[in-house]
């Protein structure tokens, strides 16, 4: 917030203008001053909270000035309501607070009992208890109260500081004074902060974790005495005998409740803002969605730092060390987030990736799932990195340090290897040709002979070890009944690296579906493709097609179909072939005739040699002429 605008209200003669003058002059002005002072602006250099500019507006309570009063109240961020005697005090509840409500303004009010030097009896504590607390209980808009004297310069600076703090560190979003509890949104934010600070996820903040928390939020160490005092305060309040283990989540929330009850809500806001919370207790948009643009024909992948973060996260929450995350472990891991990403739910996670025999996602499947999420929707990964507490290697970096952008692959027909680690392939073929069984085999699932037609698109992702030991992640997508819509959508095809044409080698009508697809969507030839004959364990049959599969692929100068069966152990070789074809796309394009080789590099090299020769000749000629 750049500016705090304070509207000073109250009955005539309560000392509003004297308070402002005493603040500016730093001394009480004895001579008569004008009834309404002009607007005053205090620059941020004078020790204001959050370094904000403060504007103070004086007002008049006279009926003829009511329009001006109404306009100024509506423009303000906070109202300073001043009273000085019994009559003006009664008017706080009878006129002023109802008037503010009638204007529909939703700003904090600071209640000020001025001219305390004229009060002969009653201590400040008694005035607060007898006068201020009853009004505060009736009107929740009143943020705080204070007793001042402009003549004695008592609490003059403090009253305006309270006004500034009511805007920069508001108590209303944090604490329900009527119930005496922190509000649900504040509790939810504090639970997430506790989760992020509990590095070993044992349910307690140990001494080192408390020291790290203190240093992160307040940039200063926590003394042993202060830490002991904190533990004792929590122990007395909760009656928890296990405080020696550290501060648990309930104790952490109770500690912050004590801060709110004692009026130290700026402490809570320092904590919340350190962890990127806004005044509405939501995470900042710039934190959840930092600027990250993926150029055309390029893709996003996890960087080494990103993979390391997700590996550490998996190992931390695999409490039973069985190599998989069960439902309770996944729930604990995603506790500080809105839940599983929407794309995971749509893809029936964890059925979309590798699971162990108990059906729990493995580390291999966990990394594959995040690799796919980053490839398909990098901003989803960025937001979950923020939720889960990714810390970039450098303070100047953001969560984007966990991602990297691949080199664009615009000219895929040019010989050479594509520099990317995540590959996306569409699996096309006639109904019941075995596409779903192929995806099951890709995820190491046992073969199921029961046919279930695919209605919705289905995706599977797993790691593939290429020749030479390099690993990549392969995404296979079966399009279901949305196949026509997806194949007509150019943006969907731009995100695809490979077409895998499949047919049932035991069904005579299966291959004709591929021929029909290529005729209906000729632009599919702009993508690398591989032909696969499934169900090779069954008797091969002649296809009812103008050309049989082998002559057909030969006519477009493609490799013959790979004959595989999901019941064979060698099925894994198919996935390696698919990944290799996507990594070397120039070798997997159909050709109608022998295409001329791409001699662009040769022409560039010859041009460079010619230019160098001409330049050398010109230099030699000049040298000869000068001699």
């Amino acid at each position: 917030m750049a500016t705090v605008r304070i509207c000073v209200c109250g009955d005539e003669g309560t000392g509003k203008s004297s308070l402002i003058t005493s603040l500016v002059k730093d001394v009480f002005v004895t001579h008569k001053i004008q009834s309404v002072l002009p607007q005053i602006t205090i620059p941020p250099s004078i020790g204001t909270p959050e370094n904000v500019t403060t504007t103070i507006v004086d007002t008049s309570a006279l009926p003829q000035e009511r329009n001006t009063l109404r306009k100024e109240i509506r423009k303000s961020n906070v109202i300073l309501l001043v009273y000085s005697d019994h009559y003006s005090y009664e008017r706080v509840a009878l006129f002023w607070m109802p008037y503010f409500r009638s204007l529909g303004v939703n700003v904090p009010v600071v209640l000020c009992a001025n001219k305390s030097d004229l009060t002969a009896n009653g201590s400040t504590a008694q005035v607060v208890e007898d006068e201020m607390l009853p009004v505060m209980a009736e009107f929740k808009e009143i943020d705080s109260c204070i007793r001042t004297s402009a003549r004695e310069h008592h609490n003059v600076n403090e009253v305006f500081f309270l006004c500034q703090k009511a805007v920069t560190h508001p108590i209303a979003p944090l604490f329900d004074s009527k119930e005496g509890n922190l509000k649900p949104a504040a509790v939810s934010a504090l639970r997430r902060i506790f989760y992020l600070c509990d590095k070993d996820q044992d349910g307690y903040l140990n001494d080192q974790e408390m020291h790290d928390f203190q240093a992160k939020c307040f940039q200063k160490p926590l003394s042993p005495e202060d830490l002991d005092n904190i533990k004792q305060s929590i122990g007395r309040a909760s009656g928890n005998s296990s405080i020696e283990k550290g501060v648990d989540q309930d104790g952490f929330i109770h500690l912050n409740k004590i801060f709110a009850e004692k009026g130290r809500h700026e402490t809570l806001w320092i904590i919340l803002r350190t962890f990127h919370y806004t005044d509405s207790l939501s995470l900042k948009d710039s934190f959840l969605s930092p600027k990250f643009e993926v150029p055309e024909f390029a893709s996003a992948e996890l960087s080494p730092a990103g993979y390391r973060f997700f590996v550490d996260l998996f190992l931390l929450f695999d409490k039973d060390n069985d190599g998989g995350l069960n439902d309770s472990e996944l729930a604990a891991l995603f506790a500080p987030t809105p839940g599983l990403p929407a794309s995971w739910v749509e893809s029936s996670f964890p059925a979309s990736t590798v699971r162990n025999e108990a059906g729990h996602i493995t580390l291999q499947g966990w990394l594959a799932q995040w690799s796919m999420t980053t490839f398909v929707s990098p901003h989803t990964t960025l937001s979950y990195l923020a939720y889960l507490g990714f810390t970039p290697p450098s303070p100047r970096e953001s969560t984007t340090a966990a991602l990297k952008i691949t080199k664009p692959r615009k000219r895929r027909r040019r010989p050479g290897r594509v520099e990317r680690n995540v590959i996306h392939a569409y699996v096309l073929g006639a109904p019941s040709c075995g596409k779903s069984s192929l995806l099951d085999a890709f995820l190491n699932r046992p073969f199921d002979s029961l046919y279930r037609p695919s209605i919705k698109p289905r995706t599977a992702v797993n790691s593939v070890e290429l020749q030479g030991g390099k690993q990549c992640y392969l995404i296979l997508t079966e399009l279901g009944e949305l196949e026509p819509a997806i194949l007509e959508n150019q943006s969907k095809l731009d995100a695809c690296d490979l077409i895998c044409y499949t047919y049932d080698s035991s069904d005579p009508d299966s291959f004709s579906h591929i021929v029909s697809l290529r005729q209906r969507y000729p632009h599919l030839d702009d993508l690398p493709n591989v032909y696969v004959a499934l169900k090779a364990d069954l008797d091969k049959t002649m296809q009812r097609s103008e050309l049989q599969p082998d002559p057909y692929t030969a006519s477009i100068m493609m490799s013959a179909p790979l004959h595989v069966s999901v019941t064979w152990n060698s099925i894994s070789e198919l996935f390696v072939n698919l990944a290799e074809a996507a990594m070397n796309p120039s070798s997997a394009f159909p050709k109608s005739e022998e295409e001329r080789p791409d001699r662009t590099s040769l022409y560039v090299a010859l041009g460079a040699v010619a230019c160098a020769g001409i330049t050398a000749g010109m230099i030699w000629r000049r040298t000869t002429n000068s001699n």
Side-chain angles (χ1 to χ4, degrees):
M1 181 172 295
T3 303
V4 172
R5 190 177 182 89
I6 304 172
C7 183
V8 185
C9 300
D11 286 350
E12 295 297 304
T14 54
K16 303 186 298 295
S17 302
S18 295
L19 272 176
I20 299 171
T21 305
S22 184
L23 173 73
V24 175
K25 301 287 187 181
D26 206 28
V27 66
F28 180 67
V29 178
T30 55
H31 58 79
K32 185 178 174 66
I33 57 177
Q34 60 193 93
S35 57
V36 179
L37 295 174
Q39 177 177 303
I40 294 170
T41 299
I42 302 174
S45 57
I46 308 180
T48 54
E50 301 290 306
N51 291 322
V52 295
T53 299
T54 304
T55 300
I56 303 173
V57 180
D58 194 9
T59 63
S60 171
L62 295 175
Q64 58 267 33
E65 298 294 335
R66 199 59 50 85
N67 284 336
T68 303
L69 175 65
R70 183 169 59 250
K71 290 177 183 178
E72 292 298 342
I73 289 173
R74 284 178 169 157
K75 288 194 294 183
S76 65
N77 303 118
V78 58
I79 297 170
L80 175 58
L81 180 56
V82 183
Y83 73 90
S84 61
D85 53 24
H86 182 73
Y87 174 76
S88 58
Y89 166 73
E90 293 291 335
R91 291 255 301 165
V92 168
L94 294 176
F95 171 74
W96 285 107
M97 294 307 299
Y99 179 65
F100 297 152
R101 288 183 173 180
S102 71
L103 297 180
V105 294
N106 184 25
V107 296
V109 176
V110 175
L111 186 61
C112 172
N114 195 25
K115 301 186 179 181
S116 61
D117 56 292
L118 299 180
T119 305
N121 52 4
S123 64
T124 298
Q126 185 178 347
V127 171
V128 168
E129 184 175 352
D130 295 344
E131 296 180 0
M132 295 180 169
L133 290 183
V135 180
M136 292 182 71
E138 183 179 354
F139 299 98
K140 297 305 176 186
E141 306 94 316
I142 300 178
D143 181 88
S144 55
C145 58
I146 190 171
R147 200 176 183 207
T148 64
S149 170
R151 181 181 297 276
E152 296 180 351
H153 203 73
H154 174 62
N155 281 345
V156 172
N157 289 6
E158 286 76 3
V159 68
F160 289 100
F161 182 81
L162 281 177
C163 291
Q164 293 167 331
K165 197 170 70 167
V167 178
T168 60
H169 301 98
I171 189 63
L174 304 178
F175 191 71
D176 187 336
S177 55
K178 183 177 181 180
E179 298 292 334
N181 290 316
L182 292 170
K183 291 189 174 179
V187 172
S188 178
L190 290 170
R191 288 188 192 280
R192 176 178 172 272
I193 291 170
F194 179 89
Y195 165 99
L196 297 179
C197 294
D198 184 14
K199 298 298 184 183
D200 55 9
Q201 287 299 311
D202 64 346
Y204 295 91
L205 296 184
N206 57 40
D207 290 358
Q208 185 57 51
E209 289 167 341
M210 286 293 290
H211 284 296
D212 293 342
F213 169 75
Q214 172 79 10
K216 181 180 178 69
C217 295
F218 304 101
Q219 289 79 49
K220 59 182 180 180
L222 186 66
S223 68
E225 295 79 10
D226 289 340
L227 182 57
D228 287 340
N229 290 335
I230 289 172
K231 289 182 177 181
Q232 290 173 12
S233 298
I234 296 172
R236 284 194 301 268
S238 62
N240 189 352
S241 59
S242 62
I243 198 70
E244 292 303 320
K245 296 181 181 179
V247 178
D248 64 7
Q249 188 179 89
D250 291 339
F252 180 75
I253 292 172
H254 183 78
L255 175 64
N256 285 278
K257 178 186 174 184
I258 293 174
F259 291 148
E261 289 173 335
K262 292 185 175 181
R264 293 178 54 189
H265 35 280
E266 68 273 15
T267 302
L268 271 77
W269 279 116
I270 291 172
I271 294 170
L272 291 166
R273 287 168 181 163
T274 299
F275 286 88
H276 307 284
Y277 281 92
T278 65
D279 288 352
S280 60
L281 295 181
S282 61
L283 287 170
K284 292 180 181 176
D285 289 340
S286 59
F287 176 62
L288 290 177
S289 302
K291 186 177 180 181
F292 186 81
E293 296 179 359
V294 181
E296 191 177 12
F297 303 112
S299 65
E301 297 179 359
L302 288 172
S303 69
Y307 278 116
R308 186 163 54 251
F309 173 76
F310 284 118
V311 168
D312 292 342
L313 204 62
F314 182 95
L315 298 176
L316 181 62
F317 282 88
D318 183 17
K319 297 296 185 182
D320 52 11
N321 294 317
D322 65 344
L325 295 179
N326 58 41
D327 291 344
S328 62
E329 290 168 341
L330 273 175
L333 191 155
F334 282 100
T337 74
L340 292 177
S343 60
W344 291 28
V345 177
E346 292 169 4
S347 63
S348 302
F349 172 86
S352 56
T353 189
V354 185
R355 295 179 289 177
N356 60 18
E357 293 179 356
H360 304 149
I361 185 172
T362 63
L363 177 59
Q364 178 184 350
W366 174 252
L367 297 179
Q369 185 74 21
W370 279 113
S371 297
M372 178 175 68
T373 304
T374 306
F375 180 88
V376 175
S377 177
H379 285 284
T380 298
T381 300
L382 287 172
S383 63
Y384 274 80
L385 285 165
Y387 285 127
L388 294 168
F390 171 76
T391 303
S394 168
R396 295 182 178 180
E397 295 178 298
S398 67
T399 51
T400 56
L403 272 60
K404 67 177 182 178
I405 297 175
T406 64
K407 186 178 179 181
R409 48 151 172 72
K410 185 174 182 180
R411 302 188 64 180
R412 287 189 281 197
R413 292 180 182 268
R414 176 183 291 181
R417 197 170 181 84
V418 173
E419 297 178 8
R420 54 177 57 193
N421 297 315
V422 182
I423 303 298
H424 190 193
Y426 286 160
V427 181
L428 307 182
S432 76
C433 72
K435 301 185 294 297
S436 297
S437 295
L438 181 66
L439 267 63
D440 286 338
F442 183 48
L443 299 177
N444 304 319
R445 308 274 165 77
F447 173 66
D448 185 357
S449 59
L450 181 63
Y451 173 63
R452 300 178 182 85
S454 298
I455 307 301
K456 298 191 302 180
R458 180 192 168 192
T459 298
V461 59
N462 198 355
S463 59
V464 175
E465 186 172 334
L466 305 175
Q467 297 174 1
K470 182 181 178 181
Q471 180 178 277
C472 76
Y473 290 96
L474 177 62
I475 306 168
L476 297 181
T477 300
E478 179 189 1
L479 304 184
E481 293 185 353
L482 290 181
E483 182 179 277
I486 293 174
L487 296 183
E488 290 172 357
N489 188 329
Q490 189 58 48
S491 64
K492 294 286 187 182
L493 293 177
D494 287 341
C496 177
D497 296 287
L498 181 75
I499 299 291
C500 177
Y501 290 113
T502 61
Y503 69 97
D504 180 357
S505 60
S506 67
D507 180 358
D509 297 315
S510 188
F511 188 75
S512 60
H513 182 81
I514 296 177
V515 178
S516 174
L517 273 180
R518 290 191 65 234
Q519 291 173 347
R520 203 178 320 141
Y521 307 106
H523 53 275
L524 293 181
D525 287 353
D526 294 333
L527 290 169
N529 49 72
V530 172
Y531 288 77
V532 180
L534 296 173
K535 304 184 183 180
D537 56 318
L538 303 180
D539 292 338
K540 181 180 178 181
T541 186
M542 294 289 289
Q543 296 292 319
R544 294 191 181 102
S545 176
E546 185 177 344
L547 287 175
Q548 292 302 299
D550 284 16
Y552 181 85
T553 53
S555 69
I556 55 176
M557 300 180 186
M558 294 288 295
S559 299
L562 301 169
H563 288 258
V564 298
S565 169
V566 297
T567 61
W568 294 349
N569 293 331
S570 60
I571 186 67
S572 59
E573 296 177 8
L574 168 63
F575 307 123
V576 176
N577 285 330
L578 294 178
E580 288 286 359
M583 289 286 195
N584 296 279
S586 62
S587 62
F589 281 100
K591 308 175 186 68
S592 57
E593 59 183 23
E594 191 66 40
E595 296 182 0
R596 298 170 60 186
D598 187 351
R599 293 192 172 93
T600 304
S601 300
L602 177 62
Y603 295 151
V604 171
L606 290 175
V609 171
C611 290
I614 293 171
T615 303
M618 292 176 65
I619 294 172
W620 177 81
R621 181 175 295 177
R622 287 183 181 178
T623 305
T624 304
N625 292 339
S626 62
N627 292 335

